Amino acid sequence: MSDIRVGVLALQGAFIEHEKMLQQVGAQAVEVRLPQQLDGLDALIIPGGESTTIGKLAVDFGLLEPLREFARHKPVWGTCAGMILLARDIGRDQPLLGLMDITVNRNAFGRQVDSFETDLHVPALGLEPFHAVFIRAPLVTRVGDGVEVLARLEDGSIVAARQGHWLATAFHPELTDDPRFHRYFLQEVGNLVPVR
Ligand code: GLN
């Protein structure tokens, strides 16, 4: 059993899929619903779902400040709604962690293009394209100086970014069977080894 313990915020949304992927890459997955469940974790994933619901539940469960405190030193990855929660600015008022220096536009693709899949070029993962699933996805519309863009759509829109030990993806790597993003998060963003 691996020593690496990765929390998955399990308030709402696609957290079980992240747990399965973490186990696949050799980490222990721990569901987080309460502040004390962050104790002893090496990293945390905030899943996709509905960012307003996740944010509201995080407030109700007294998690916002403990999550910010955890994220100060530990690697955190937000997918889709999780990316929204990590952002400093989303142009509207809802509970956020407000950590990454990015501006995010929620539901950026509108009703017509609710969900889609596409192959992304992600240099940090190697040459093979990454098949990305977008579901009522947000887009990054601005990145600050310390933020590295990891992937763009063909039209140039930013869909993956990293700021030090924080990672954000607008799509859902946990819904594919390609574990490269989970490995990248643990090994490169988190400096956590060994991983299968
Ligand atoms: N549209 C959702 C939101 O704004 C995010 C969708 C997702 O996480 N798949 O929170």
Side-chain angles (χ1 to χ4, degrees):
M1 176 76 86
S2 160
D3 298 340
I4 301 172
R5 301 179 76 233
V6 181
V8 183
L9 191 63
L11 299 175
Q12 188 261 341
F15 51 89
I16 289 165
E17 292 79 358
H18 273 297
E19 291 170 29
K20 289 186 182 145
M21 197 63 111
L22 285 168
Q23 284 152 7
Q24 196 182 319
V25 298
Q28 269 186 66
V30 180
E31 293 187 357
V32 173
R33 294 188 182 83
L34 299 168
Q36 57 268 34
Q37 291 168 332
L38 291 165
D39 292 349
L41 297 181
D42 297 303
L44 180 79
I45 294 177
I46 305 176
E50 192 53 47
S51 60
T52 47
T53 307
I54 297 174
K56 185 183 174 309
L57 290 170
V59 171
D60 292 350
F61 288 27
L63 267 165
L64 268 196
E65 208 38 58
L67 286 171
R68 287 190 190 113
E69 184 55 39
F70 180 87
R72 239 187 281 283
H73 304 292
K74 299 281 178 74
V76 178
W77 174 17
T79 55
C80 203
M83 173 169 108
I84 296 167
L85 282 147
L86 282 181
R88 270 196 208 158
D89 179 14
I90 64 162
R92 50 181 279 172
D93 195 21
Q94 69 182 62
L96 300 175
L97 296 178
L99 297 166
M100 285 181 73
D101 189 10
I102 56 177
T103 302
V104 167
N105 180 9
R106 281 185 66 195
N107 301 319
F109 298 93
R111 281 171 186 275
Q112 298 304 319
V113 199
D114 202 57
S115 302
F116 64 98
E117 303 186 12
T118 189
D119 284 337
L120 290 177
H121 177 51
V122 189
L125 300 184
L127 284 178
E128 196 188 322
F130 191 89
H131 189 71
V133 179
F134 291 80
I135 304 168
R136 281 175 291 108
L139 274 181
V140 180
T141 54
R142 180 200 62 89
V143 296
D145 284 343
V147 180
E148 180 191 353
V149 173
L150 296 178
R152 295 178 186 266
L153 295 177
E154 267 177 18
D155 69 0
S157 310
I158 299 166
V159 290
R162 170 186 178 176
Q163 182 177 0
H165 59 288
W166 299 326
L167 177 66
T169 54
F171 48 93
H172 288 263
E174 78 286 7
L175 299 184
T176 62
D177 53 14
D178 187 341
R180 282 181 296 159
F181 247 108
H182 287 74
R183 246 186 233 127
Y184 173 79
F185 173 58
L186 297 181
Q187 291 181 329
E188 306 301 324
V189 180
N191 258 320
L192 297 164
V193 279
V195 176
R196 271 201 277 275

